[in-house]
Amino acid sequence: MSNRLQLNPNRLFSPDPTIRQIATELYDSIKGLPIVSPHGHTDPAWFANNNAFSNPTELLIQPDHYVFRMLYSQGIRLEALGLGNSKEAQLVDPEAVWQIFAENYYLFRGTPSRMWMDYVFAEVFKIDVALDAHTASHYYQVIDQSLQQEQFRPRALFDRFNIEVIATTENPLDKLQHHQKIAESDWTGKVLTAYRPDNVLDPEQADFAEQIGKLSDISGETTTDYQGYLNALQNRREYFKRHGATSTDHGHLTPFTANLSDAQASKLYDKAMLGQVSAEECELFRGHMLSKMADMSVEDGLVMQIHPGCYRNHNKEVFAGFGRDKGADLPMPTEYVKNLKALMDKHGNNPDLQVILFTLDETTYSRELAPLAGHYPSLKLGPAWWFHDSPEGMKRFRQQTMETAGFYNTVGFNDDTRAFMSIPARHDVARRIDAGFLAELVADHRLRLEEAHELAVDLTYNLVKKAYKL
């Protein structure tokens, strides 16, 4: 007989009865607050078209790099999971993929993915048996039949999950037609875009000049010179802002910033368009453009997010065969104090600029990031991100940043996911961890209980709304 699938109401809370009681009280006061998801990668077409999700595999496995990177690490070929454009992948039966997933579900024991998935199975689809090889078919049929029902369409789930607002992420060449369609519909769900210009800021991309040509076409600006290039970028920012954007997003390899003269920047731009820049010059250009993006944010009010320190597409073979975002992105050591100096010299003391900084290098939390955010008015810390949005990662973030930056130089939680079904699970984990962390401070007599209640609401709801101007 299969084990039952049950979510313990005290999960993630301390076994100490005093701390657990306080944590439970705090959690109960915030668990029903609306979800604010200010940064992520869900597909706006889901909400624009409101079509039914096709099947359990396409919804829960194939978009989720947390899932298939674990399976791949154990020798399961991505083609067997239906990924890629090969004939084999196209002919894979979705239920057969689900069976592979179920047979290997034990691999996720103790991981955040297991916790998120169990939440989805139990809370969203109301399945009460554990997933394994024997229950795989039952799972597939229950989920598949549910997805055919009106209450499991994207807009209905958005409302059911109590999502107040969700932000997607698009590059400057996107026409934002899905966001336009949502705005023109009678649905009241709030889906915003965020402006991510990496593809037109990085001269090391093989098609950089081609991307700039497309930028010229869509903006109507001439990009043959540096000033026209800046005008085109500004044009698209204004377009995104008219379609609801409140933030920009920058996924540069490093947080290096620079303040070049117009003449220096123009010379680099001309060389980049000819494909004649060195790796060092590419980094200099990217660093300068981060500072220019900050200049523009001061003018137009868009919040600036910087997500550095990730070595993208580390697996050469997987990248060649399957493209980006296939689980082969890896954290890197990242330096912030020196790299951000040029930007802080220019705008660090300006409260009209809001920079939200993320990291994949936890060793910088207490040494660099908390002291920076604890001083500069323009800088705030984003939450534990990507590889670290786990219970332990969230605790480490609080422990290592609170002492210097406090709570109010952070910006609440964001899920940064394309796995739509996992959003309520991820926010629930964050709320439980924050409730537990605050409960320990109360039990240690470092916080009054009424202060902890205020903080719990701020960390869950108020800080993220304020930081992202929502």
Side-chain angles (χ1 to χ4, degrees), residues 24 70 90 101 115-116 138 148 166 207 217 239 320 323 402 457:
T24 300
M70 177 66 80
Q90 300 304 308
F101 172 59
M115 192 165 43
W116 300 330
H138 171 68
Q148 298 171 32
I166 194 169
D207 61 346
D217 293 339
Y239 182 81
M402 178 199 67
V457 175

Side-chain angles (χ1 to χ4, degrees), residues 17-53:
T18 300
I19 297 175
R20 176 181 291 183
Q21 182 178 353
I22 300 169
T24 300
E25 179 181 335
L26 293 172
Y27 171 74
D28 286 344
S29 71
I30 59 174
K31 65 181 180 181
L33 289 175
I35 288 175
V36 177
S37 179
H39 171 71
H41 303 278
T42 52
D43 188 344
W46 293 341
F47 310 109
N49 301 325
N50 201 34
N51 295 328
F53 293 109

Side-chain angles (χ1 to χ4, degrees), residues 332-353:
M332 290 181 60
T334 308
E335 194 280 334
Y336 293 90
V337 172
K338 294 179 180 178
N339 277 327
L340 289 173
K341 185 66 165 62
L343 179 57
M344 293 298 100
D345 284 347
K346 195 172 189 180
H347 292 301
N349 300 301
N350 187 350
D352 291 335
L353 176 65

Side-chain angles (χ1 to χ4, degrees), residues 291-427:
S291 292
K292 294 305 292 185
M293 292 295 101
D295 291 348
M296 294 182 188
S297 282
V298 170
E299 294 299 320
D300 63 25
L302 292 180
V303 177
M304 186 176 184
Q305 301 174 92
I306 305 178
H307 287 84
C310 183
Y311 191 118
R312 308 274 176 175
N313 310 304
H314 189 273
N315 189 321
K316 181 179 180 181
E317 182 178 331
V318 167
F319 179 57
F322 299 90
R324 299 175 179 274
D325 302 319
K326 294 301 180 289
D329 296 344
L330 300 170
M332 290 181 60
T334 308
E335 194 280 334
Y336 293 90
V337 172
K338 294 179 180 178
N339 277 327
L340 289 173
K341 185 66 165 62
L343 179 57
M344 293 298 100
D345 284 347
K346 195 172 189 180
H347 292 301
N349 300 301
N350 187 350
D352 291 335
L353 176 65
Q354 180 83 80
V355 177
I356 300 174
L357 186 62
F358 295 78
T359 189
L360 288 178
D361 184 354
E362 292 185 313
T363 68
T364 63
Y365 279 156
S366 59
R367 184 180 67 247
E368 300 181 43
L369 296 180
L372 281 165
H375 174 73
Y376 283 104
S378 68
L379 190 61
K380 296 289 185 291
L381 297 185
W385 168 49
W386 200 340
F387 289 90
H388 307 307
D389 61 351
S390 61
E392 289 75 18
M394 293 174 184
K395 290 176 186 176
R396 290 192 295 268
F397 174 79
R398 292 291 180 214
Q399 290 165 345
Q400 295 182 50
T401 63
M402 178 199 67
E403 293 175 349
T404 306
F407 290 107
Y408 290 94
N409 284 311
T410 64
V411 299
F413 177 68
N414 73 58
D415 47 76
D416 187 26
T417 186
R418 60 177 53 86
F420 180 48
M421 289 290 185
S422 74
I423 287 176
R426 293 167 187 253
H427 284 260

